[in-house]
Structures are given as structure tokens and as C-alpha cells.
Amino acid sequence: MTLAPPSIGRDTGAWELVERLALVDGIARHPHVLRLGARRPDQRDLADAVHALCATHGRHPGMPDEAYAARAQEDAQDWLAVLSDAFAGERAYLARLTAAVGPLPSTPGQQASEAAISGHRHALEMLARSARRGCATGAIAALTIDWRSIRAVLNAAAKHFGIDIPMDPLPPRAETATVVTALGDDPASERAISFGAQALFAQHRGLWDLLEARAAARS
């Protein structure tokens, strides 16, 4: 699939581009995300999502760590350091949840699912390591948006399985907006940020489509 950034107007900032993409391509309105965030989600579906999220985002180094090490956009380093610390806490939360939900629920096509999840993880790692100035920045900006929806699912699992819900460690959205707008201060960086964001959203949608298909296969 060819990813093309939205049209860039003279007064459009990088963060606004990322938000526009999130409205269309983000996971906030994905049916399976909404289903798991509902009052009485299926226990097996919750457990399956937690295991998949841990496999995708629960390993160190995470995306902000990879981008920080790559140093493709030097003026993003302070922001990436803050996010590295924040996602260290989220990985610990994922680890506790994975232990609490128990084994992965039996699902037809498990081997193919594992290969697909591995592919999503690899694609996200490549985005974070991109040498193109702004690409990793955009992907991680998109991650901060999608993570709010992921966090809602994790919190639903925590309530269901009796785990304490830690405070959300991510910076306020307005703060991230200011930083990303400044990082996209030239047309090339702005385009790279929008490309990275679109690629991140595409990978996340693919992951949640897979989880939705797995839930259907179990039922």
C-alpha cells in the first residue's frame, strides 16, 4: 500500500496533520477497540488483546527508545527522552496485565497470527529507526494518540482482572501538539511527520483487524 500524506496548506502545522490522519485512520473508532472498552467485554478477547499488545509494544527498547538512539531529528531528543520514560512505565503495566490475564486463549490459526503480529512489531521498529528526519517523530506522535485508545482497553482489562490502574504517564496532548508543530517547522519535516504518522496508524489498524478476526474465530 502506498502511503500519501494529506494535502498541506500554508497554515497547516505538523500536529494538525497528525490529528487529521488520526480522525480517519486512528484506532479510536475501531469496532473491536470500542467493544473491548465497553462495560462487559469478553474475557478471552481482553486477554487476547493484552497478549498481542505486550508482544507488539511490551519489549525494550520501545519505539521512543529506538528513535532516541537513531537521532534522526536532533531537536526531538528531549521529547523522545520524556516519552521513553513514560513508555517504560506502560511496558511494566503491560507486563503485570499479561501475567494477570493468564494464558493466550486458544484460537484457530495461531501460527499465522503470531507471524502477523511479529510483522507489525518489525514494521513499527523500522519506523522508529528511520533515518529520514521527521518520520520516526511522526510515528511516535501518532502512537501517543492511539495509545489513549489502547490505554482504555488496558484499563478495562485491569478492572476485569483486579489490577490497579496506574496514572497515565504520557505528556498532555497540548504539550505534544506544541512540540510536534515545532518539529515540523519545514516542508520536508512536515511531510515526513505525516508519512510516519500514517504508517503507524496503518500498522495499528492491521493489528486490531487481526484481533477482531481472532475474536470472531473463537466465537
Side-chain angles (χ1 to χ4, degrees), residues 163-175:
I163 299 296
D164 290 337
I165 299 173
M167 290 183 62
D168 184 345
L170 268 62
R173 191 164 178 143
E175 182 178 316

Side-chain angles (χ1 to χ4, degrees), residues 49-69:
V50 168
H51 277 280
L53 290 166
C54 191
T56 307
H57 288 293
R59 299 184 180 187
H60 182 268
M63 287 187 70
D65 308 299
E66 296 274 20
Y68 185 88

Side-chain angles (χ1 to χ4, degrees), residues 174-189:
E175 182 178 316
T176 299
T178 300
V179 171
V180 174
T181 299
L183 292 171
D185 60 355
D186 63 86
S189 295

